[in-house]
Amino acid sequence: MERVGINIQMDSFHLLTSVTELDKGIIRGTAAFIDQPAFVVMESLAQLGALHVRWLCDFSKHAFLLKVEHFFLPGESRISGTLELSGKLVVRSQTAFSYDLTASGICEAPLMGRFFFSVKEYDDTFKKEILKTRYKELFQCLKSASGIV
């Protein structure tokens, strides 16, 4: 694998730049942007939550966003800077996960919302042999903040 920079472009699917704290109930991380559309805040939080779900399932299931509640985008149409992201697992079942996710550092007030995720077995569409390895590697990279993707 080659070392790549952390300057995220919108053609890149992964917006997170690091995972800074992790346990069974909490995940924290960062995302850095230069003149990006404001919706990347919500997408960054969704990626943080889904990554935590995958980690809790030992990367053995496909995780996806079901619903977002009570989240408002920042008033700015474009953002630049580093977001501090945090996620608190509120409740979970075997297939559903609820998180309170927060982004701070760019706007005056933190941006918060409740995000709901679910998991399913890998299948013909979501191939285990590709996705499990990819998300484990991405997770290790973000934990070390090495920028190797």
Side-chain angles (χ1 to χ4, degrees):
M1 290 188 271
E2 74 179 280
R3 185 172 294 273
V4 296
I6 299 296
N7 184 6
I8 304 300
Q9 301 298 318
M10 287 311 298
D11 58 356
S12 175
F13 179 72
H14 302 289
L15 301 176
L16 304 176
T17 54
S18 69
V19 170
T20 58
E21 185 178 342
L22 179 73
D23 67 31
K24 289 187 178 185
I26 291 175
I27 186 169
R28 296 187 201 286
T30 60
F33 303 106
I34 300 170
D35 192 35
Q36 295 296 326
F39 70 80
V40 298
V41 175
M42 187 166 68
E43 177 61 26
S44 297
L45 289 171
Q47 287 186 12
L48 186 78
L51 188 62
H52 194 250
V53 169
R54 288 181 181 100
W55 178 75
L56 288 172
C57 295
D58 194 31
F59 300 92
S60 66
K61 297 188 185 293
H62 178 64
F64 56 94
L65 180 66
L66 283 176
K67 179 180 178 181
V68 178
E69 277 188 1
H70 311 296
F71 186 82
F72 297 96
L73 289 172
E76 301 86 5
S77 62
R78 313 264 322 157
I79 61 167
S80 292
T82 300
L83 286 171
E84 299 293 327
L85 309 171
S86 65
K88 178 183 175 195
L89 179 62
V90 176
V91 66
R92 74 174 277 191
S93 70
Q94 288 202 324
T95 60
F97 301 75
S98 174
Y99 284 83
D100 285 337
L101 294 168
T102 305
S104 58
I106 292 179
C107 302
E108 281 186 33
L111 302 168
M112 299 177 262
R114 176 132 322 153
F115 289 60
F116 297 89
F117 300 88
S118 187
V119 293
K120 65 177 278 179
E121 297 296 327
Y122 289 113
D123 58 20
D124 290 340
T125 303
F126 303 105
K127 297 184 184 307
K128 182 177 184 176
E129 61 274 6
I130 297 170
L131 295 175
K132 182 176 181 178
T133 301
R134 176 70 179 134
Y135 283 114
K136 281 179 94 168
E137 288 174 356
L138 174 66
F139 178 73
Q140 290 302 323
C141 175
L142 291 170
K143 274 185 31 180
S144 69
S146 67
I148 300 171
V149 188

